[in-house]
Each structure stands twice: as C-alpha cells, then as structure tokens.
Amino acid sequence: MQLKIGKAQGRDFSIDAQELVTGRTCIIAQSGAGKSWSIAVLCETMCRAKIGFCLIDTEGEYYSLKEKFPDILWIGAEGADADVDDISLDYDIEKINIKQLVSKAVSESRPIIFDVSEVDMVPRVTRLAHVLYDVASEQKKPYLLIVEEADKFIPQSRDSIKKIEEISRRGRKRGLGLLVATQRPAIVTKNVLSQCNNQIIGKLSIDNDLKAVGIFFSSKQEVEELTTLNPGDFFVMGSLAHEKTKIQFGKRQTKHRGVTPLLEEREIVEYFEEEEEEEEEDMSIYEDAGRITRPDKPEDDEEDENISKLPEILLTDHPEEEQEKNDFQTEEENPKTPGIKEEDKPKPKPAQKKAARKKITRSTTKSPEEAVINLIERDEAFEIAGTKLRRKRFGFGSGERLISGNMIYIPLFHVSVKYIRGRFRKTTQHTSFVIDGVKGRCVDTAGGLKFRPCFSDYIGLDENSIKVLNVMSFSGETVADLEGMTRLKQSPVKSALSRLEERKMVTISDTVGESDEPVYVPLITSTLPKLGTRQRNFDFRTGTLNGEKWDINIKEGDIRTILKALEPTSEIIEFRLYYYPLFEIKAGSDLEERTLYIDALSGREVIINI
C-alpha cells in the first residue's frame, strides 16, 4: 500500500505504508520548519487508509484531527475540550483503563491521540509504552507509536524511557512501529536514533544537531544543505524512498492548531516628549583600535513599524576575506504631529564627512519590536563558548574562564531591488540581499552569521566617487584612465578623487609623462558586487524583542546611492528590518579579557570586528 504525502519536483510522492507503520522512522526539523505539519499530514493519510496509530501529543494540538476523522480516540485531561467547538474528549487520562482501551484500539486499527499536555508527561508515557508493547506482543497486528518531542521522553541521559528504546529494537517483530519526532536530535538518545532506518529531515541550524544527523548522510556537504531548506521542505531517506528525495508535504484537511499566534493590527500613534528626559547611562561603543569608551548620552532610536520575517537573497558573490558584523534600524520619515509646530521639532544633525572613528551604539528596549526567536539557550551558549576556550589560542587560552553572557540583538536589513538588464532585449530583473546596518556589510545567515565587506567601504560617498573608487586597481590609474573607465568628464573625476583623498581612500603612488600626471591607487581592498538575480528564501520564527540591541547607522538612502552608481535603473522596492539574536559572552584570564559571540540559532561562533 502506498501513501501519498506530498510533492517532489512537481510530482506526487508516496511512501510504503508497511515500512512507515512497522519500521523505525525519525522526523527531525527545527522549530518553525514544518515538523508538526508533516506529522499531521502523515496521520491524516493513515486515517484515510484505516491504519492504526497512537500519537503522544505534548502540546494539545492534534485533537483537531477529529474534525474529519471522528473515529480517533482522544485521551486527555478532564476539561481539555472546554474551549473546543464540536470536538469532545473521549476519555479522561486519569480514569481510563489504558490496557483495555489500547487493546481495543490495536485490534480495531483505531487511532489514539494521547494528550499529555496538561498532566505529568513522563509517568503516563512510560505506562503507555509498556502497555503498547505488551498488547503488540499478544496481538501482533501492525500499529504505529508516534512520539512527539522525543527529547522529553528519550533524552541522551539515564532518564530515557527504556521501554521506548526497547520498542525501537524489538517492536518490528511484534508489528509495533516507532516514529520519533524532535527539534533537537543532539539531545535524543542515540540508542533510538541509530535504529531509525527511515529518515524525514527538514531545516536545521544548530551545529550539534547537524552533527547528530550526520549519521544519515554520506558527506558533510549534504548535511550543510539542511541549513538552506525552506519551511515545509524535507529530505526523505532510507527505506521510505528509493533514494534521497526532497519533498514538500501536502495540504492538511484539518486545522493546524499549533500555529504561532499573530499580533493584531493596531494603529500606532506617534508623539514627541515635551519634557526633557533624565540623562541615562550610554552604552556607546567606538571603533578605534579596539578600545571601548562610554560617552555621556545615547542617541534616540527611531524604530521601523514594518518589521517582519524575511527571505534572504544575496548579490552575485564577490569573494572577500573579512567576516564582520553589526547592527541597524531604519529611520522613519519625520511625521507631522498635531500640536507640535514644525520649528519646535528637533532638527536633524547635518551629515558629516567620515570621522576618525565610527560610533556604534547600543540601547535597551521593551518596545514591541520583532526579533528572530533563538534556538539555543544561555546554558548551551556557555557550553559552546567553554569548549572553544579550552582550545589554545596561539599558545594561550587554557587559563581562561567564562565571566558573563547575555543575549543581544543585531538589526539586519532585507533589501529587495529591481533593475533593467539586457543589451539588446531589455528585461526587468529582481535580486535581494541582507546587510547589517552599521557598516553595510552583506550577511549570510545559512549555518550561522557570516559577513562580507560588500557596501561597507562605500557608505556615505556620492555616486561619482563610488563609480571612480569601484573601478580603481592597485596598478594605478590616471585621471584620463578613470574618465574612460567611468565615462565621466574630467571635472567630476577630479572632484571625486579630491573627495576620496580627503577621506584617505585613495592616494597618489606615482607620476607619468612629461607633465607628471599623477597615478592614483585605492587604499581599500573591496570592490562592489555586481547585481545578479540570485534569490534564496530564509524564514524565521519571530517574537517580541525585549532586551539590548545594536543601533542603526545605515540608511536606505546610503544603499540607494550605491545601487544607482552600480546600475542607474535600479530601484529599492523593499527595505525591511529584523533583529537577529546572539549571545555576547565575556571570558578572561589573568592576562586579558575577550568577548565571544555565539549565534543563537546555529550555535556557531560569529566573527565581529567592532
């Protein structure tokens, strides 16, 4: 019997029912990647085929299967159905004779939703596992045990429920199959994972989890591919498929009760404070030879209301060696506010030429800004940092100890651009990318934050200066050379070179000819990437930002100026903001103190040059 569960390359994809029901299968994907959805699709498919299963529900979200399949037996805490329309709890988990009910369900191939969301989970699940194993030994009929959030019941510790481990080893001969599902395979006992000859694996980001599923892949490159999957995409492997197949699970018949609640749309009324605020301690950080200083007063943040989860698409890659990182936030346009005269509004400071050092500020906020939800916790970040500290760094490091650690949020911009391309046949192209908002570096979030210089050296320049700087090489160019390369007239080229010299971005290296024509060379190593068409979506679960964040220096106009210099037809159609979490961990010894940054999604160290 074949069960159709989704699509692979536009075609229906089916799995063998016998292998699913009596085999050993694991479904692994991080939060928000579609794990619960995929389990529900499998359950609905089995219900249509009259296949029996028992699903351990830790969140009370699968009772909605009864909307279309009333034969399902819902066992849970009394009162669990109080807020549910047209669906009633069948049995009270505290009063039911579980042995009698399971015997009936197995003999009749009836599904069970074993809802432990409102009770002490482990004792009930332990009892259920023993009963199912005994009943399966007696009846020897195909039946599937589905363990959601398996890390709660079979962790990599002595607290693992041994009967579930035994089912993974000996259940097949009794007709009792096992499907375990988890977001964190790294903390599930390997005694069970190693028995899973069928795998359904979706997006993962945390290093330890990627290592844990490495046993199912033939190469590290295949494992790394998991970090790039979109929500709902899964690799099906093992005996369920002839070869590793990427699929998208199909639609559900029943309502998804595990969806993240959404904020209601509300009008936000802006206002200006009329009273002077008390002076607060600033958390400004200055970039100057690695020193950190604290001036007197922070700048106010202006926050973008339109913050959301973003897809990330990069420009055509330009290889650069440096990985850095920072922060940002869009500036709202100055709104006209009732009751405030235009001349009374605070005047923006005029733009200044590049200073000797760039100020990077932080602020603490409790405003309802959205931030990407972290996948690793503070204790895990400490464990990862501790492991890195134990590795000697240029002969030093063995004496270092952890001092402190806190979550910080980096603002990232998703920039979407349209432009016209084609020498003979003009067509509209679309590309998008992610930048940090302090230095304008390109950001890659796949497998942990990585930074490339990208726009950073060109922020604050005018179009002509950008055009001139971007075509210069270390072999040097004269003014005439640059005229031909940029198609600018002599006067704008000379003006651009003068401005670049003032900012110490170019210098004269030599002179040529009888007139001693100066030869200019750049003092920066990066060039701008070319506009491409690369698009790769990244979706993150978001929540409310409530903590320290890095402030924004980059404006939309800065990026628009650079894009216009690259391609005059380019237009920014989206400039959106979201905050990305990191753990900032202080460590030190008798000799020095240093800071490590740990990606709160992948667990990898992030290189940040402040």
Side-chain angles (χ1 to χ4, degrees):
M1 182 190 306
Q2 295 292 307
L3 302 177
K4 186 173 74 172
I5 62 171
K7 297 279 188 180
Q9 295 182 343
R11 298 182 179 181
D12 290 342
F13 180 82
S14 300
I15 58 175
D16 182 67
Q18 180 70 29
E19 186 59 38
L20 175 66
V21 177
T22 61
R24 307 289 172 268
T25 305
C26 59
I27 297 183
I28 299 172
Q30 70 186 36
S31 177
K35 174 177 62 67
S36 298
W37 181 282
S38 62
I39 291 172
V41 170
L42 289 174
C43 289
E44 290 179 354
T45 305
M46 288 189 288
C47 285
R48 290 193 291 271
K50 306 297 183 183
I51 294 173
F53 61 86
C54 178
L55 169 59
I56 297 172
D57 184 0
T58 61
E59 296 293 336
E61 60 182 296
Y62 290 101
Y63 66 84
S64 61
L65 291 168
K66 284 181 67 72
E67 293 174 358
K68 298 292 183 180
F69 307 102
D71 284 347
I72 293 177
L73 301 174
W74 178 17
I75 304 171
E78 186 176 5
D81 59 346
D83 299 324
V84 180
D85 296 332
D86 303 325
I87 304 177
S88 299
L89 186 71
D90 294 302
Y91 297 99
D92 185 346
I93 198 169
E94 302 288 356
K95 301 175 182 179
I96 188 65
N97 183 330
I98 191 66
K99 176 71 179 287
Q100 183 179 357
L101 181 63
V102 168
S103 295
K104 179 181 179 182
V106 173
S107 65
E108 298 176 0
S109 294
R110 291 190 67 177
I112 295 175
I113 302 298
F114 196 70
D115 184 350
V116 292
S117 59
E118 302 295 332
V119 297
D120 191 0
M121 298 181 185
V122 175
R124 271 75 176 186
V125 173
T126 301
R127 171 64 177 155
L128 173 68
H130 279 84
V131 168
L132 258 177
Y133 186 82
D134 293 341
V135 169
S137 300
E138 295 169 5
Q139 297 190 20
K140 290 188 172 10
K141 292 191 64 174
Y143 203 79
L144 178 63
L145 172 61
I146 303 174
V147 184
E148 253 280 39
E149 304 295 345
D151 47 279
K152 296 180 184 293
F153 309 110
I154 46 173
Q156 186 67 35
S157 71
R158 64 183 62 185
D159 297 328
S160 176
I161 298 175
K162 301 305 179 185
K163 186 54 71 172
I164 295 180
E165 293 187 29
E166 187 173 357
I167 291 172
S168 73
R169 296 192 305 270
R170 305 178 60 191
R172 180 186 286 273
K173 292 182 179 179
R174 292 159 175 79
L176 181 59
L178 180 66
L179 188 155
V180 295
T182 182
Q183 301 174 15
R184 297 299 317 278
I187 58 177
V188 174
T189 177
K190 304 306 178 287
N191 294 338
V192 173
L193 279 186
S194 62
Q195 294 292 327
C196 294
N197 57 323
N198 306 314
Q199 305 91 36
I200 302 174
I201 304 180
K203 183 180 179 70
L204 289 173
S205 299
I206 299 177
D207 268 357
N208 289 343
D209 293 332
L210 292 167
K211 292 176 183 176
V213 300
I215 59 175
F216 303 127
F217 295 88
S218 59
S219 70
K220 185 177 179 180
Q221 288 72 23
E222 288 186 335
V223 176
E224 290 292 333
E225 196 175 354
L226 296 175
T227 65
T228 67
L229 292 180
N230 294 322
D233 287 345
F234 287 81
F235 285 120
V236 179
M237 302 178 292
S239 302
L240 291 177
H242 298 298
E243 59 183 357
K244 185 181 81 170
T245 306
K246 182 179 177 180
I247 76 161
Q248 182 89 29
F249 273 89
K251 294 182 179 179
R252 288 187 56 172
Q253 280 187 269
T254 54
K255 188 174 182 180
H256 182 31
R257 301 284 180 176
V259 67
T260 303
L262 299 177
L263 289 170
E264 295 180 3
E265 290 288 341
R266 292 187 176 92
E267 182 179 358
I268 300 175
V269 180
E270 299 181 8
Y271 65 95
F272 290 95
E273 294 283 359
E274 295 185 4
E275 298 180 359
E276 290 188 8
E277 296 182 357
E278 293 184 5
E279 192 169 87
E280 299 178 281
E281 180 187 5
D282 193 9
M283 296 294 288
S284 299
I285 297 179
Y286 286 84
E287 178 179 348
D288 183 11
R291 295 200 305 270
I292 297 178
T293 59
R294 299 178 186 273
D296 295 330
K297 192 171 182 181
E299 297 178 353
D300 291 333
D301 294 327
E302 292 186 348
E303 298 165 354
D304 193 338
E305 300 172 23
N306 300 318
I307 303 168
S308 67
K309 300 179 290 185
L310 330 155
E312 169 190 351
I313 297 150
L314 301 176
L315 293 169
T316 302
D317 287 341
H318 165 70
E320 294 293 348
E321 61 281 335
E322 192 177 33
Q323 283 190 345
E324 312 170 330
K325 127 169 196 199
N326 272 307
D327 5 75
F328 27 126
Q329 166 182 352
T330 52
E331 291 191 354
E332 296 176 55
E333 296 183 6
N334 191 17
K336 292 187 177 180
T337 307
I340 302 295
K341 295 181 179 180
E342 199 67 31
E343 58 269 19
D344 294 336
K345 294 184 181 180
K347 298 293 188 295
K349 296 179 181 180
Q352 298 179 351
K353 294 182 180 179
K354 186 175 182 180
R357 48 186 186 171
K358 185 183 294 181
K359 188 168 73 170
I360 302 173
T361 60
R362 301 183 184 188
S363 62
T364 301
T365 181
K366 290 189 177 180
S367 59
E369 295 176 302
E370 284 189 297
V372 176
I373 295 175
N374 54 296
L375 297 179
I376 67 171
E377 301 299 331
R378 187 168 179 264
D379 57 342
E380 292 179 279
F382 275 135
E383 180 183 359
I384 294 167
T387 300
K388 293 183 179 297
L389 292 179
R390 287 190 289 273
R391 301 172 186 165
K392 288 191 177 183
R393 184 166 56 98
F394 305 115
F396 168 77
S398 59
E400 289 180 295
R401 296 290 183 269
L402 297 176
I403 299 173
S404 62
N406 294 292
M407 181 90 78
I408 61 171
Y409 292 90
I410 300 177
L412 304 178
F413 283 116
H414 174 257
V415 186
S416 187
V417 179
K418 282 187 176 181
Y419 65 98
I420 296 174
R421 183 179 183 181
R423 180 172 298 179
F424 302 108
R425 184 179 179 183
K426 304 294 185 181
T427 59
T428 300
Q429 301 292 336
H430 176 226
T431 187
S432 53
F433 49 93
V434 172
I435 61 170
D436 81 73
V438 171
K439 292 187 176 180
R441 294 163 295 190
C442 286
V443 181
D444 185 4
T445 61
L449 286 186
K450 303 180 187 69
F451 298 87
R452 293 181 289 113
C454 209
F455 301 120
S456 57
D457 289 327
Y458 296 82
I459 297 296
L461 297 178
D462 59 274
E463 280 189 40
N464 288 342
S465 297
I466 293 169
K467 290 178 181 179
V468 169
L469 185 60
N470 192 46
V471 298
M472 295 182 72
S473 67
F474 291 113
S475 59
E477 283 81 26
T478 63
V479 171
D481 289 330
L482 294 171
E483 286 182 58
M485 297 167 74
T486 62
R487 297 189 178 182
L488 294 173
K489 295 185 181 301
Q490 184 183 73
S491 177
V493 170
K494 286 186 174 181
S495 297
L497 287 170
S498 177
R499 290 190 293 271
L500 292 171
E501 279 190 285
E502 287 180 16
R503 298 185 62 162
K504 309 300 182 186
M505 301 184 79
V506 302
T507 189
I508 297 174
S509 65
D510 199 358
T511 58
V512 296
E514 294 181 358
S515 60
D516 290 332
E517 184 70 21
V519 177
Y520 295 87
V521 293
L523 295 177
I524 65 170
T525 59
S526 64
T527 57
L528 291 171
K530 295 180 180 179
L531 285 177
T533 57
R534 187 178 179 187
Q535 301 202 36
R536 188 175 63 204
N537 292 329
F538 287 86
D539 291 323
F540 300 105
R541 290 185 62 191
T542 60
T544 300
L545 186 150
N546 187 4
E548 189 176 4
K549 64 181 181 180
W550 287 2
D551 293 338
I552 298 169
N553 291 338
I554 300 300
K555 305 177 183 66
E556 182 176 345
D558 295 328
I559 306 303
R560 179 178 287 107
T561 299
I562 296 173
L563 291 173
K564 286 292 186 182
L566 277 173
E567 172 51 64
T569 65
S570 62
E571 288 293 343
I572 294 176
I573 59 174
E574 183 180 66
F575 198 78
R576 301 176 68 180
L577 167 69
Y578 70 101
Y579 285 91
Y580 193 97
L582 295 176
F583 286 100
E584 183 182 57
I585 297 178
K586 302 287 185 182
S589 67
D590 294 338
L591 300 177
E592 69 171 4
E593 180 177 314
R594 64 185 174 117
T595 303
L596 289 82
Y597 294 93
I598 304 298
D599 190 306
L601 273 73
S602 69
R604 296 183 178 180
E605 184 177 2
V606 178
I607 306 301
I608 301 178
N609 296 321
I610 296 177

